[in-house]
Amino acid sequence: MGVDEVCREELGSLHGIPLYKSFIEGWPQVEAFQARHDDLLIATYPKSGTTWLSEILDMIYHDGDVEKCRRDAIFNRVPFLEMKAPRIPSGIELLEKTPSPRLVKTHLPVQLLPASFQEKGCKIIYMARNPKDVVISYYYFYQMAKMHPDPGTLAEFLEAFMNGKVAYGSWYEHVRGWWEKRQEKQLLYLFYEDMKKDPRREVQKILQFLGKEVAEETVARILHHTSFQEMKKNPAANYETMPSSMMDHSLSPFMRKGISGDWKNHFTVAQNERFDQHYQQHMAGSDLCFQMEV
Ligand code: PPS
């Protein structure tokens, strides 16, 4: 193994949430993070459309200027708050260097959000995606992104996911936790499936939430530049500039399929029935609804 090789490692636990050990080491700095009042937080469970939403927001912040949005890779333009890994700047270090107004990415469950986002009254956009597509996307991501433990077979990974034994813990608790807090915070809660169905309507919702007005041709440019096909071929958006020791796109590209309903190509009938039953139990009593395909 070369010196730059990232080693697959078992996850640690941060207040009961399974997480990468290097992120846990950096936790004291994250917990003490000082948000600025004009920070916009993009919060998601992993594989739920974070990069898509990040690119849309960077385009909005730069008035649809495609060249400005190519100035750096997405993981530098929208720093990942709790990220810490050997030999690359941490999310906190990147954020300190980022001029306001900043876009900040996090996958933290709502109960672990650093207090200062609330204290400063920062706006937050949460995006959720149906769990069947999340688990498939996550399974491929575990294979290509080397900081994860070996995912095993899909059947094993499905069990781990349902039991909340994957990085960032239970999908159910994550989506429900953020949903229940949406009244208390300045929070816009979006769905990947709605964005697939009608991206123009969802971008309009974002603009309204931000209190921004943008010309119709700018909206059209934003929609074109943030389509899956455009983002897949854009080196500033597709993660191909990440060191290959961290992400191996030959195992599975970061921009993999970008559709809703790919789980149907992977789940067996029995797995689907078991998943549906588990889903019913864990979503009982919630008015939060997901579309499993569009
Ligand atoms: S991460 O690592 O958690 O930040 O990943 P995240 O960006 O949340 O999710 C990656 C999945 O989002 C898909 N994606 C898109 N779908 C539709 N349109 C656009 N523009 C887009 N950009 C990224 C990406 O392909 C991953 O989903 P899968 O199902 O694996 O293709």
Side-chain angles (χ1 to χ4, degrees):
M1 193 168 75
V3 280
D4 285 340
E5 207 73 3
V6 173
C7 205
R8 291 198 182 274
E9 198 181 19
E10 289 311 307
L11 300 169
S13 170
L14 177 69
H15 299 290
I17 304 293
L19 196 61
Y20 318 107
K21 288 181 179 148
S22 57
F23 286 25
I24 296 173
E25 273 167 36
W27 179 247
Q29 287 78 48
V30 176
E31 202 175 20
F33 177 70
Q34 288 305 303
R36 302 178 191 154
H37 76 278
D38 55 357
D39 285 343
L40 178 79
L41 185 68
I42 298 168
T44 55
Y45 188 83
K47 313 323 288 178
S48 302
T50 329
T51 315
W52 190 8
L53 183 57
S54 299
E55 192 68 31
I56 290 172
L57 283 160
D58 196 40
M59 279 290 276
I60 291 175
Y61 272 38
H62 290 90
D63 205 28
D65 187 327
V66 170
E67 285 319 306
K68 283 190 183 152
C69 293
R70 290 191 200 279
R71 70 194 180 283
D72 206 338
I74 191 69
F75 45 84
N76 292 324
R77 285 180 282 141
V78 182
F80 182 10
L81 177 66
E82 65 272 20
M83 197 278 296
K84 194 171 189 309
R87 292 178 292 277
I88 54 171
S90 68
I92 297 285
E93 284 162 348
L94 286 173
L95 283 163
E96 279 164 2
K97 288 192 210 133
T98 305
S100 292
R102 303 182 293 191
L103 295 168
V104 184
K105 158 182 168 176
T106 189
H107 291 315
L108 290 171
V110 72
Q111 71 276 16
L112 293 185
L113 187 69
S116 95
F117 285 100
Q118 179 94 6
E119 287 158 11
K120 298 280 164 55
C122 300
K123 288 188 178 171
I124 303 174
I125 305 185
Y126 186 85
M127 184 178 263
R129 185 183 192 186
N130 83 70
K132 296 183 184 180
D133 283 325
V134 168
V135 70
I136 295 302
S137 182
Y138 217 177
Y139 182 59
Y140 283 98
F141 188 59
Y142 255 64
Q143 296 174 48
M144 69 87 73
K146 312 277 190 59
M147 70 273 202
H148 295 95
D150 185 331
T153 64
L154 177 58
E156 288 164 348
F157 192 73
L158 269 175
E159 286 302 313
F161 180 85
M162 286 193 272
N163 294 322
K165 300 265 188 294
V166 294
Y168 290 98
S170 162
W171 174 88
Y172 301 93
E173 287 172 18
H174 206 283
V175 295
R176 291 185 66 160
W178 279 96
W179 180 252
E180 279 147 26
K181 286 279 186 298
R182 73 193 188 287
Q183 320 293 24
E184 287 170 34
K185 303 192 190 297
Q186 292 208 77
L187 180 90
L188 177 66
Y189 200 107
L190 300 175
F191 296 91
Y192 180 99
E193 292 75 21
D194 288 342
M195 189 66 92
K196 281 298 300 180
K197 246 192 325 207
D198 193 344
R200 182 178 302 273
R201 185 188 58 198
E202 298 308 297
V203 167
Q204 292 295 357
K205 270 191 209 165
I206 295 173
L207 289 169
Q208 198 179 2
F209 177 68
L210 298 177
K212 283 195 201 281
E213 277 192 45
V214 160
E216 190 45 47
E217 72 224 45
T218 307
V219 173
R221 217 163 41 243
I222 293 172
L223 293 175
H224 176 73
H225 177 76
T226 59
S227 69
F228 181 74
Q229 288 69 23
E230 286 299 309
M231 283 182 61
K232 188 174 171 68
K233 65 184 186 202
N234 177 2
N238 65 16
Y239 275 81
E240 281 176 11
T241 58
M242 214 359 108
S244 61
S245 57
M246 295 188 72
M247 287 188 182
D248 184 346
H249 295 259
S250 69
L251 291 175
S252 175
F254 184 94
M255 294 290 166
R256 197 182 59 88
K257 282 201 177 169
I259 59 170
S260 293
D262 188 41
W263 59 270
K264 290 188 192 166
N265 299 315
H266 294 82
F267 280 40
T268 64
V269 171
Q271 282 168 343
N272 191 37
E273 283 173 359
R274 198 174 127 54
F275 199 99
D276 281 343
Q277 199 184 21
H278 186 266
Y279 178 90
Q280 300 301 343
Q281 284 165 358
H282 287 78
M283 296 301 277
S286 177
D287 56 346
L288 178 56
C289 290
F290 283 86
Q291 306 160 74
M292 299 298 178
E293 57 193 294
V294 295

